[in-house]
Amino acid sequence: MSTQQQMQTRQPTRPPRAGLFRDLNRPSDVFSNLTPNWYASIMGTGIVAGAAASLPWQPSGLHTAAIVVWALAAILLVALTAATVTHWVRYPGAARRHLLNPVMGHFYGAPPMAMLTVGAGTILLGRDVLGLRAAVDIDWVLWFAGTITGLAVAVVVPFVMFTRHEVKPDSAFGGWLMPVVPPMVSATTGALLVPYAPAGQARLALLLCCYAMFGMSLLASVVVITLIWYRLAVYKVGLAAMVPTLWIVLGPLGQSVAAANLLGGVASQALPRPYSTALQAFGVVYGVPVWGFAVMWAAIAAAITVRTARDHLPFSLTWWSFTFPIGTVVEGTSGLALHTGSDVFRVAAMLFYVGLVAAWIIVAVRTARGSLRGTLFLAPGQLAAADRPAT
C-alpha cells in the first residue's frame, strides 16, 4: 500500500481535534500537497489593487485601500514562494507529479503571473510606501523573473501536453489558457517599465519584445478558446468543479485590451511617427471589438455558473478564476475609457470593479477558512474523508 493510500485509510479514524489545521494529520502536511494553483490567490488579490489604480474615477480612500491589498499580495507572494520551495525540497515526487499532471500542470502558469501582478502593483502603488527608485527596481526584478519563467512555461507545458498527455476530445478547459497567458501579462506590465528603460535601443527593444509577447499569447489563446467553445458545444458543461475555469477565458481577452492600450500609450517614447501613432490607435481599434466579445463571454460564463450553482458548485481553488480574469477586463475597460473619453467605458469599468471586489471578498473568505482548517491542503482522496462527519 502506498503512503498516500495509508494516509487516506487512516484519515477517517483520526480523532477529531480543534484549532489550526485541524483537518491535517500534522501541521507540516501543509507542504505535502501544495499545488501551483495556490498562486492564483496572489493573482486575484494583486489585481484588485492594480485595477483600482487604473480606474477612471478615484473615490476617496480607494488608493489607500489598494495599497493595503497590494501589500497583502506581496506578503502572500513571499510566503507562498517559500512554502513552494519547501514543497519541492521535501516532496519532490509530489511536485513532479503536479507538473506532469494533465490538469494541474497547466497551472504552473500562475506563479509567473503572480510575480508580474505584484510587480506592477509595486510600481503603481508601492512607490508611495517604498519610494519610486526602490519600486522601479523591485518591479524590474519581478518582471524579469515573471517573464523568463512565463516564457519557459509557455513552451514547456504545451510541449509536455503534446508529447506525454493523453488528451481526449472533451479535455479542453479554461486551465489550458494558464500557460499561454503569462507572456500577455508580461506585455501589459512591461508597458509600465518602458518609461524607466534607458532611452534608445534598450527602450525600443523592451517595447518590441512586449508586442512580440502580446502576439504569441494572443494567437495561442485564440486557438485554445476555439477548442473550449467546441468542447462546450459538443460535450456541454461537464463537471461542476471545472465551471469556474470558464472565466479564465476573460484573462487573455481583458489583458490583451489592457496591453494594447498601455503599450500604445508609451509607444511614442520608443518609436517615431507614424508607427507610434498607429500603435496608439491600435489600442482602440483592437480593444473595442475584443472588449465586446469579452462582455459576451462574461454573460455566457455567468449564466453557466448560476445554472451550475443552483444544483451544486463545490468550493475549491478554481474559484479564484472569478477574480483575476475579471480584473483584466477592468484594466482593459479603463484603458479604453482613457483613450476614447467614453462615459460608457468609465461606467463599465466601475461596474466590473465592483463585481471584482465582491468576488474577491467571497473567495478570499472561503479560502482563508479552508486554509485555517487545513482542508485546502489535503490531497483529493483525503478531502472526501475530511468532509465526512466524525463518528
Side-chain angles (χ1 to χ4, degrees), residues 87 147 201 287 347:
H87 171 68
T147 298
Q201 287 298 315
V347 173

Side-chain angles (χ1 to χ4, degrees), residues 129-179:
V129 179
L130 305 170
L132 179 60
R133 185 69 266 164
V136 171
D137 290 343
I138 292 172
D139 192 18
W140 276 118
V141 172
L142 290 174
W143 187 82
F144 274 113
T147 298
I148 292 170
T149 55
L151 290 172
V153 167
V155 173
V156 171
V157 174
F159 173 78
V160 172
M161 184 171 97
F162 299 161
T163 58
R164 299 189 59 161
H165 293 166
E166 181 181 352
V167 178
K168 298 180 180 178
D170 61 344
S171 294
F173 76 113
W176 280 14
L177 288 165
M178 292 295 290

Side-chain angles (χ1 to χ4, degrees), residues 319-354:
W319 278 37
W320 282 101
S321 303
F322 297 137
T323 58
F324 185 81
I326 297 176
T328 68
V329 177
V330 174
E331 293 180 336
T333 308
S334 296
L336 290 174
L338 175 65
H339 288 139
T340 64
S342 169
D343 288 339
V344 171
F345 287 125
R346 290 192 183 99
V347 173
M350 297 305 299
L351 291 176
F352 274 118
Y353 188 72
V354 170

Side-chain angles (χ1 to χ4, degrees), residues 3-330:
T3 301
Q4 184 174 359
Q5 290 173 326
Q6 291 173 354
M7 290 173 64
Q8 293 175 17
T9 301
R10 290 196 302 265
Q11 182 73 25
T13 60
R14 177 179 58 79
R17 51 188 177 82
L20 188 65
F21 304 141
R22 62 180 179 270
D23 286 338
L24 300 177
N25 282 325
R26 56 185 182 275
S28 62
D29 285 345
V30 166
F31 303 105
S32 65
N33 193 54
L34 199 65
T35 50
N37 56 346
W38 271 98
Y39 279 89
S41 63
I42 301 172
M43 295 164 56
T45 301
I47 205 158
V48 169
S54 72
L55 289 174
W57 179 50
Q58 294 286 314
S60 177
L62 177 64
H63 187 73
T64 301
I67 292 176
V68 173
V69 175
W70 160 78
L72 174 61
I75 293 170
L76 289 173
L77 178 62
V78 174
L80 185 55
T81 300
T84 299
V85 171
T86 302
H87 171 68
W88 273 89
V89 171
R90 295 182 59 180
Y91 304 95
R96 285 192 293 270
R97 285 193 296 273
H98 294 156
L99 180 61
L100 298 176
N101 185 277
V103 173
M104 189 57 66
H106 294 282
F107 288 94
Y108 270 94
M113 288 189 281
M115 288 186 279
L116 293 165
T117 303
V118 172
T122 303
I123 203 169
L124 290 170
L125 301 162
R127 59 194 298 175
D128 294 343
V129 179
L130 305 170
L132 179 60
R133 185 69 266 164
V136 171
D137 290 343
I138 292 172
D139 192 18
W140 276 118
V141 172
L142 290 174
W143 187 82
F144 274 113
T147 298
I148 292 170
T149 55
L151 290 172
V153 167
V155 173
V156 171
V157 174
F159 173 78
V160 172
M161 184 171 97
F162 299 161
T163 58
R164 299 189 59 161
H165 293 166
E166 181 181 352
V167 178
K168 298 180 180 178
D170 61 344
S171 294
F173 76 113
W176 280 14
L177 288 165
M178 292 295 290
V180 299
V181 173
M184 185 68 77
V185 182
S186 290
T188 307
T189 56
L192 301 175
L193 287 168
V194 167
Y196 302 101
Q201 287 298 315
R203 186 175 295 176
L204 177 61
L206 175 59
L207 181 71
L208 295 179
C209 284
C210 286
Y211 271 110
M213 290 187 288
F214 171 93
M216 72 170 70
S217 181
L218 176 64
L219 294 178
S221 296
V222 169
V223 172
V224 175
I225 292 171
T226 303
L227 294 173
I228 293 172
W229 187 291
Y230 171 80
R231 195 266 294 173
L232 289 171
V234 176
Y235 298 99
K236 309 312 172 190
V237 175
L239 296 175
M242 303 300 285
V243 165
T245 66
L246 292 176
W247 290 84
I248 298 177
V249 172
L250 293 179
L253 298 176
Q255 196 77 102
S256 66
V257 175
N261 281 275
L262 284 170
L263 289 170
V266 298
S268 61
Q269 300 185 37
L271 283 170
R273 295 180 179 180
Y275 304 108
S276 60
T277 304
L279 289 174
Q280 185 170 4
F282 174 74
V284 175
V285 173
Y286 167 86
V288 174
V290 174
W291 184 87
F293 181 75
V295 172
M296 184 189 74
W297 187 270
I300 293 172
I304 294 175
T305 303
V306 170
R307 177 178 177 269
T308 305
R310 287 177 177 174
D311 294 329
H312 180 55
L313 184 60
F315 177 76
S316 69
L317 291 177
T318 60
W319 278 37
W320 282 101
S321 303
F322 297 137
T323 58
F324 185 81
I326 297 176
T328 68
V329 177
V330 174

